[in-house]
Amino acid sequence: MPVQNNSNIPRRKFIALTAAAAGGSALMSFFPSDAGGQGRNMTIREAIDIIIKNIPVTPFSDTVDTVKSGNPDQLLKGIVTTSFATIEVIEKAAASGANFIVAHEPTFYNHRDETDWLQQDGVYQYKKKLLDKHGIVVWRFHDYWHSDKPDGVLTGVLHMLGWEQYADTQNQHIITIPGASFNSIAKHVKERMQIPSIKAIGDPAERCSRIVMLPGAAGGRAQIQAMETIKPDLLICGELQEWETSEYVRDARAKGDKMALMVLGHAVSEEPGMSWLVPWLQPKLPGITITHIPSKSPFTWY
């Protein structure tokens, strides 16, 4: 969820919810039966149309959810879901026989995947040629997936953490786990989401029963307003601007407020939502092989 988002669909929905509040596995594959031949001889464009029709909103006139590469009028052979269509993910998709990657985030290094400034760039050229070589279509599924009811990404995160029963029924970003400590939450999140390390501000022993979960990059203002409005013990987010939210938390703690922060990383924080997309898609596209390939974090911690 990039900070600069002209459509701002997920952020608007979250802000509305916070205002109201103020008053599985890393790799998942499905190999369904032919289901009477359904799904065969379907084009990628037809599959995209089916996906959008199953989201309970009117199609957006301005959205980043567009085809980023390839010919969507070719027959659909198989689908890969992922957070980022990295070169590694593209190679694995090609090896599996899939020709359609559904990615949650940009493919070409900026929010709207504008490529005019990259035409002479060697990394862009390599990636584009790789996609063309294998005839792979990349389509972004961001605004629509966040607009599903409930939010598809957040649903996947809660499911992977086993926190569905702790989420507020009116605002699933708010989670209450009685007796939880900062240390126990950190350990649980790392184990269940298979994250080797996280950035954090907090005391391992302090109580963190009331949590706000904001995967991806909601932006500093939305993160700070959520902490001010909801008064959580802990904010868990995907990424942040280090001169915004983390400095706010540092000053709040110096002031005496009990407030903690965990930063998981953007890709890994929303990956469960793209894994959850597999069982969501399978009954809608019977006869099609659908696989989740995690893009993982690009960072190594030393």
Side-chain angles (χ1 to χ4, degrees):
M1 188 190 304
V3 176
Q4 298 299 325
N5 185 341
N6 292 335
S7 57
N8 276 329
I9 295 155
R11 186 179 303 173
R12 287 204 306 269
K13 180 170 69 174
F14 173 73
I15 291 173
L17 287 169
T18 56
S25 64
L27 179 63
M28 182 184 296
S29 301
F30 283 81
F31 300 96
S33 63
D34 194 300
Q38 294 183 54
R40 307 301 183 187
N41 299 318
M42 174 187 292
T43 67
I44 292 172
R45 188 184 302 279
E46 289 170 335
I48 292 172
D49 289 342
I50 289 171
I51 294 170
I52 292 174
K53 286 177 182 177
N54 277 277
I55 301 295
V57 294
T58 302
F60 305 131
S61 58
D62 180 25
T63 178
V64 296
D65 292 6
T66 58
V67 172
K68 309 305 180 184
S69 184
N71 175 18
D73 293 316
Q74 63 180 297
L75 291 179
L76 174 60
K77 299 177 182 177
I79 300 173
V80 162
T81 70
T82 192
S83 282
F84 287 85
T86 65
I87 286 175
E88 181 181 8
V89 169
I90 293 166
E91 290 172 339
K92 289 181 177 180
S96 75
N99 65 343
F100 182 27
I101 296 176
V102 179
H104 188 61
E105 297 297 3
T107 300
F108 297 121
Y109 324 118
N110 65 100
H111 181 47
R112 290 195 173 270
D113 285 288
E114 295 163 341
T115 60
D116 54 325
W117 61 289
L118 290 169
Q119 291 306 305
Q120 304 305 314
D121 183 89
V123 176
Y124 164 75
Q125 290 176 347
Y126 182 91
K127 191 173 193 178
K128 186 66 169 65
K129 287 177 181 177
L130 183 66
L131 288 164
D132 292 344
K133 173 185 174 182
H134 293 294
I136 291 177
V137 171
V138 178
W139 176 62
R140 189 173 178 190
F141 188 44
H142 179 276
D143 295 348
Y144 284 106
W145 197 213
H146 278 299
S147 297
D148 197 21
K149 299 187 185 304
D151 180 309
V153 169
L154 186 59
T155 297
V157 172
L158 294 175
H159 177 73
M160 183 166 284
L161 291 172
W163 284 356
E164 298 100 321
Q165 70 271 32
Y166 301 121
D168 189 291
T169 57
Q170 299 302 312
N171 183 352
Q172 290 192 306
H173 291 276
I174 302 173
I175 299 154
T176 303
I177 306 176
S181 69
F182 182 91
N183 188 59
S184 66
I185 293 296
K187 182 178 179 181
H188 180 80
V189 168
K190 290 198 302 182
E191 287 179 352
R192 294 296 293 264
M193 296 182 71
Q194 300 182 29
I195 303 173
S197 57
I198 61 176
K199 292 193 297 185
I201 300 174
D203 182 337
E206 66 188 22
R207 181 181 62 83
C208 288
S209 297
R210 186 168 172 82
I211 302 166
V212 168
M213 172 67 74
L214 294 178
R221 181 169 295 188
Q223 291 165 345
I224 291 168
Q225 287 178 338
M227 288 186 286
E228 171 58 26
T229 303
I230 300 170
K231 307 294 186 186
D233 304 317
L234 170 66
L235 169 68
I236 301 178
C237 67
E239 69 168 272
L240 47 71
Q241 299 276 16
E242 292 192 356
W243 46 274
E244 295 177 339
T245 307
S246 48
E247 290 304 319
Y248 177 84
V249 172
R250 173 156 50 180
D251 283 347
R253 292 178 68 84
K255 170 178 170 287
D257 294 347
K258 194 174 75 66
M259 184 182 298
L261 172 70
M262 292 183 190
V263 185
L264 310 183
H266 194 128
V268 295
S269 76
E270 295 195 292
E271 201 76 70
M274 298 310 286
S275 177
W276 180 256
L277 179 58
V278 175
W280 186 90
L281 281 176
Q282 193 272 331
K284 299 168 180 62
L285 299 171
I288 299 298
T289 299
I290 307 172
T291 306
H292 176 68
I293 299 178
S295 53
K296 303 178 182 178
S297 172
F299 298 104
T300 300
W301 299 92
Y302 288 92

